[in-house]
Amino acid sequence: MEKRQAVMAGTGKAGRVTLKDVARIAGVSVKTASNVLNDDGRMSAKTRRTVKRVIHDLGYKRNAAASNLKRGRTRNLTLALPMLTAPYLAELAEAVIAAAHRHNYTVLIRTYGVGTPSDARALLRDFNDSLSDGLLISLDETTRFKPRDFSVDYPVVALGSRDTFGRIDHIETDDMANAAQAVRYLLGHGARRIAVIGSHKDFNPAELRLVSEGNAELRLHGVLAEADRVGWTPDPRLIPTTGYEWTIGNGSAVTSRLIGSVPFDAVLALNDSLAIGALAALEAAGLSVPDDVQLMGFDDIYESKYLHPALTTVDSQIGWISETAVTRLIGQIEGSVTSPATLMTTASVIARGTTRPDAPGQDD
Amino acid sequence: MEKRQAVMAGTGKAGRVTLKDVARIAGVSVKTASNVLNDDGRMSAKTRRTVKRVIHDLGYKRNAAASNLKRGRTRNLTLALPMLTAPYLAELAEAVIAAAHRHNYTVLIRTYGVGTPSDARALLRDFNDSLSDGLLISLDETTRFKPRDFSVDYPVVALGSRDTFGRIDHIETDDMANAAQAVRYLLGHGARRIAVIGSHKDFNPAELRLVSEGNAELRLHGVLAEADRVGWTPDPRLIPTTGYEWTIGNGSAVTSRLIGSVPFDAVLALNDSLAIGALAALEAAGLSVPDDVQLMGFDDIYESKYLHPALTTVDSQIGWISETAVTRLIGQIEGSVTSPATLMTTASVIARGTTRPDAPGQDD
DNA sequence: AGAAATTGGTCTATCGATGAATTAATTTTT
DNA sequence: AAAAATTAATTCATCGATAGACCAATTTCT
């Protein structure tokens, strides 16, 4: 009782209650108190009750630093992201937190920034696993990674459409396949002149067909690959260069420029923020979506389903990605995963209101 | 050398290099190695060089758990947020990270969810400061806090427009004053019939004038207080109930309903997401912003400045808030802050393209 | 030169919790 | 009832880094 008062009165962490205090007051050894705390070993019901009572009365909280040190494990995972302000990344973070929670792990989030030189490489190099048991890193689009960046000696799983040279576990969605699927979907729903927004460079077929990395590039590749396959030769004017940031504003700006300068009956936005902007620009121009122009995005961010009309988009598979990544990472930590693998998923189109309804008897 | 090979080959954290290894190979005591690591105590330049070399060669990384345990400090701060997917919160998180970085602290981010019963109270109760030295908590809008929720014995700073009963440090912007200012701004720029979107209940003057909490309530109060002051009696139809989530979609939905049902010449959205939706709805209806209708938001989220036209909004003061909160929290941790205080700031309007330019010779 | 001060570094105890080994107490078995 | 088995709780060492006391060697001062 008095003890408790003393603790409450203290400022900061001075005089924290330790297991030793608990043990003394409960009249047992420190180890017994520890056993009760961890539901470990054998003890009488009475002892358990007494110790639990004391723990509660004293407001005892386990010292994580000491526990982690002794155990060599933290049951924390670190999630590193380039930033938090991109909707996709914020949602990824929440999904990873939920997945980790299901496995009884806690997530520590870090951002590493997208500057040049990017901190991603430094992070991989300096990652210190004594605060957490492993690293889950979402690779940014701009850093130029080298194979040896991925030669690390701690549990790690990479996310994102970047090449990890087969050195570490890597979870990604098949951006190319998804983009191809999006194109097929639009074509299957009557689109004939599809504008693609979100490209970062001038459209140059030769150059763009090179294999490359990053969502922008891969999604564009997917579009072009599918175009090839169906024998459609894209009009360069329909693939305008878009501002580097995939924001609502840039989506509406590039769409406005498109309107009136070149005819099109569909817009495929390389992510949902761009699509939201495109939707605004189209409606502002008096074009009806999906009657005059169909619209499709990528990633299915939270906002998308609330738009009017709700946005047809490509599932980001965040649920699968986060669950798989977490499982895989924990596998490494707990020693059941062996050699690095790349796991890929293909997403499906989430049909909503910005594309035309399926024609009866038709499916895709 | 051989040591290093062994380490690289190991999986997981087995066989981590410790200071003891460094000391042995460098031919010094563990304490000397520690001194070099921390730039502490005195040592010859040669010793320093040798130890640093060994540290580098062996790829030694300090064990944070051990260090934290011994020091009783982590130089980490925990930032707890209800979620990450609200743009304002994501930006707040980034700003806090930056502020902490300036003070040489690292931030661990946690989300506590907005469920019922909310985890915010549990978090406050169970917060364990052995992973970090203090807690910075952004209070959600829905939890019903009681005074004793804030009787805690660790360093903590609260953020957000909620009552903390004067028990802990609390940083907030003056939502009422800001809203009043927004109204004044619109009136000063020619608006006469201002629609306010984002209210969560039917407009009922009597009820709304009660003192309450949360951004929605406070901002609405500010509007009404200012209305009172200038002798303007708001038309209830101009303060429609808006879907609970402050999303783009709800902003456009409520605005669309407004259009045609009641005349107005300005929209004051209680946050920027709503404003973005409103902008889309207005333009879709063929109304010009700001010529036909002026529009203003709250929070100045990242997207806002990229819209077309860019959104006039109220500064969220995230920079000030995060810097102040971090400073204050570190003050508690390092023992220089004494009694709990509430620090408030008033934001200013960021004039951009969705409101009319200042009339010459006029200012506000 | 001898005392005092400085420099460079070592030794020991310790942060708090937990695993392994061990002892003490009780129950079960034959 | 004695031996074997089980249960309950204790003692001891340890995770890795660091604070503080301490010692040895060198430099500085008068």
Side-chain angles (χ1 to χ4, degrees):
Chain A
M1 271 308 198
E2 285 177 355
K3 183 77 197 173
R4 187 181 196 180
Q5 287 306 102
V7 170
M8 298 294 285
T11 51
K13 55 210 308 179
R16 265 284 109 83
V17 179
T18 73
L19 256 196
K20 206 164 141 193
D21 300 320
V22 171
R24 183 165 34 75
I25 297 186
V28 297
S29 72
V30 176
K31 177 66 211 223
T32 298
S34 168
N35 284 343
V36 172
L37 192 65
N38 297 302
D39 211 2
D40 191 27
R42 343 182 131 285
M43 75 266 314
S44 69
K46 186 168 130 262
T47 304
R48 187 198 314 273
R49 254 184 291 113
T50 311
V51 173
K52 285 205 165 169
R53 249 213 129 275
V54 175
I55 284 177
H56 178 264
D57 288 351
L58 259 45
Y60 168 78
K61 289 170 189 168
R62 162 199 274 122
N63 182 312
S67 180
N68 294 344
L69 170 59
K70 186 63 176 93
R71 292 200 216 249
R73 285 275 291 287
T74 63
R75 290 200 85 83
N76 290 152
L77 305 177
T78 295
L79 172 64
L81 304 166
M83 58 178 176
L84 286 166
T85 45
Y88 172 81
L89 293 177
E91 294 182 18
L92 176 65
E94 292 195 348
V96 167
I97 289 170
H101 184 75
R102 287 193 291 277
H103 293 265
N104 246 289
Y105 275 76
T106 299
V107 175
L108 310 180
I109 299 173
R110 304 202 28 156
T111 56
Y112 58 78
V114 283
T116 310
S118 146
D119 294 332
R121 300 176 65 204
L123 180 77
L124 282 164
R125 178 164 29 80
D126 300 333
F127 178 72
N128 188 327
D129 46 356
S130 41
L131 275 179
S132 69
D133 301 334
L135 175 67
L136 225 156
I137 184 171
S138 169
L139 303 172
D140 68 281
E141 278 201 70
T142 56
T143 303
R144 303 176 77 91
F145 292 102
K146 299 181 183 145
R148 60 165 301 161
D149 292 330
F150 300 111
S151 293
V152 299
D153 62 342
Y154 49 81
V156 61
V157 172
L159 305 175
S161 296
R162 301 299 311 273
D163 190 357
T164 55
F165 310 97
R167 301 216 174 181
I168 59 178
D169 275 342
H170 184 196
I171 318 290
E172 58 181 323
T173 54
D174 190 337
D175 268 320
M176 280 189 64
N178 293 347
Q181 197 182 6
V183 169
R184 273 200 300 284
Y185 186 89
L186 286 173
L187 293 174
H189 285 72
R192 287 299 166 264
R193 290 187 58 82
I194 304 173
V196 181
I197 64 173
S199 171
H200 291 152
K201 22 184 160 179
D202 282 336
F203 178 69
N204 173 335
E207 185 186 341
L208 282 170
R209 269 154 225 266
L210 296 172
V211 173
S212 62
E213 299 180 79
N215 304 111
E217 309 286 319
L218 289 170
R219 289 174 184 180
L220 202 46
H221 274 303
V223 169
L224 298 175
E226 185 63 18
D228 244 14
R229 194 131 63 87
V230 300
W232 155 43
T233 309
D235 178 343
R237 292 174 305 163
L238 286 176
I239 309 184
T241 301
T242 306
Y244 191 77
E245 313 265 10
W246 276 358
T247 57
I248 297 174
N250 279 334
S252 86
V254 72
T255 305
S256 300
R257 265 184 272 122
L258 231 37
I259 296 169
S261 77
V262 44
F264 59 93
D265 58 9
V267 173
L268 176 55
L270 296 186
N271 89 347
D272 281 359
S273 293
L274 291 169
I276 291 172
L279 178 61
L282 292 167
E283 298 201 321
L287 292 165
S288 161
V289 177
D291 296 334
D292 299 327
V293 176
Q294 299 189 76
L295 172 65
M296 216 169 146
F298 260 92
D299 289 347
D300 188 31
I301 65 175
Y302 177 76
E303 292 275 4
S304 299
K305 61 174 140 333
Y306 292 105
L307 298 178
H308 302 279
L311 184 65
T312 293
T313 185
V314 179
D315 189 0
S316 62
Q317 300 283 80
I318 273 184
W320 180 87
I321 289 177
S322 50
E323 177 60 37
T324 307
V326 166
T327 304
R328 198 80 196 169
L329 185 57
I330 293 176
Q332 287 182 40
I333 293 166
E334 299 181 352
S336 67
V337 169
T338 48
S339 55
T342 293
L343 304 177
M344 217 182 226
T345 180
T346 310
S348 47
V349 171
I350 298 179
R352 290 201 279 240
T354 57
T355 47
R356 299 198 195 122
D358 288 331
Q362 169 187 342
D363 62 45
D364 178 319
Chain B
M1 270 312 199
E2 284 176 0
K3 183 79 197 174
R4 185 180 196 179
Q5 286 306 104
V7 171
M8 298 294 286
T11 52
K13 55 210 308 177
R16 265 285 108 83
V17 180
T18 73
L19 255 198
K20 206 164 140 192
D21 300 321
V22 171
R24 183 167 33 75
I25 297 186
V28 297
S29 73
V30 176
K31 180 67 214 278
T32 298
S34 169
N35 284 343
V36 171
L37 194 61
N38 297 301
D39 211 2
D40 191 25
R42 344 183 128 284
M43 75 266 313
S44 70
K46 188 167 129 261
T47 305
R48 187 199 312 275
R49 254 184 289 114
T50 312
V51 174
K52 286 205 164 169
R53 249 214 131 278
V54 175
I55 285 177
H56 179 264
D57 288 351
L58 258 46
Y60 168 78
K61 288 170 190 166
R62 161 200 274 124
N63 182 313
S67 180
N68 293 343
L69 171 58
K70 185 62 176 109
R71 289 202 217 249
R73 284 277 292 287
T74 63
R75 292 200 83 85
N76 290 150
L77 306 177
T78 295
L79 172 65
L81 304 166
M83 58 177 177
L84 285 166
T85 44
Y88 172 81
L89 293 177
E91 293 181 20
L92 177 66
E94 292 195 348
V96 167
I97 289 171
H101 184 75
R102 287 194 290 276
H103 293 266
N104 246 290
Y105 275 76
T106 299
V107 175
L108 310 180
I109 299 172
R110 303 202 32 157
T111 56
Y112 59 79
V114 282
T116 309
S118 145
D119 294 332
R121 300 177 65 205
L123 180 75
L124 282 164
R125 179 165 26 80
D126 301 333
F127 178 72
N128 188 326
D129 46 355
S130 42
L131 275 179
S132 68
D133 301 334
L135 175 67
L136 225 157
I137 183 169
S138 169
L139 303 172
D140 67 283
E141 277 201 70
T142 57
T143 303
R144 302 174 77 91
F145 292 102
K146 298 178 183 150
R148 60 165 303 161
D149 292 330
F150 301 111
S151 292
V152 299
D153 63 340
Y154 49 80
V156 61
V157 172
L159 305 176
S161 295
R162 302 300 310 275
D163 190 357
T164 55
F165 310 97
R167 301 214 173 183
I168 59 178
D169 275 341
H170 184 197
I171 317 290
E172 57 181 323
T173 54
D174 190 338
D175 268 320
M176 280 188 64
N178 293 346
Q181 197 180 7
V183 170
R184 273 201 299 284
Y185 187 88
L186 287 172
L187 292 174
H189 286 72
R192 286 299 166 261
R193 290 187 59 80
I194 304 174
V196 181
I197 63 173
S199 171
H200 292 152
K201 21 183 158 178
D202 282 335
F203 178 69
N204 173 335
E207 185 185 342
L208 282 169
R209 269 154 225 263
L210 297 171
V211 173
S212 62
E213 299 179 80
N215 303 112
E217 309 288 320
L218 289 171
R219 289 174 185 180
L220 200 45
H221 275 303
V223 170
L224 298 175
E226 185 62 17
D228 244 13
R229 194 131 64 87
V230 300
W232 155 44
T233 309
D235 178 344
R237 293 174 303 163
L238 286 177
I239 309 185
T241 301
T242 306
Y244 191 77
E245 313 264 9
W246 276 358
T247 57
I248 296 174
N250 279 334
S252 87
V254 74
T255 305
S256 299
R257 265 184 274 124
L258 230 36
I259 296 169
S261 77
V262 45
F264 59 93
D265 58 10
V267 174
L268 175 56
L270 296 185
N271 90 346
D272 282 358
S273 293
L274 291 169
I276 292 173
L279 179 61
L282 292 168
E283 298 202 320
L287 292 166
S288 161
V289 176
D291 296 334
D292 299 327
V293 176
Q294 298 189 75
L295 173 64
M296 217 170 143
F298 260 92
D299 289 347
D300 188 30
I301 65 174
Y302 178 76
E303 292 276 3
S304 299
K305 60 175 140 330
Y306 292 105
L307 299 177
H308 302 280
L311 184 66
T312 293
T313 186
V314 179
D315 189 1
S316 62
Q317 300 283 79
I318 274 185
W320 180 87
I321 290 176
S322 49
E323 177 60 35
T324 306
V326 165
T327 304
R328 199 79 197 167
L329 185 56
I330 294 176
Q332 288 181 41
I333 292 166
E334 299 180 352
S336 67
V337 169
T338 48
S339 55
T342 294
L343 305 178
M344 218 182 225
T345 181
T346 311
S348 46
V349 171
I350 299 179
R352 289 200 278 241
T354 58
T355 47
R356 299 199 196 122
D358 287 331
Q362 169 187 345
D363 62 45
D364 181 317

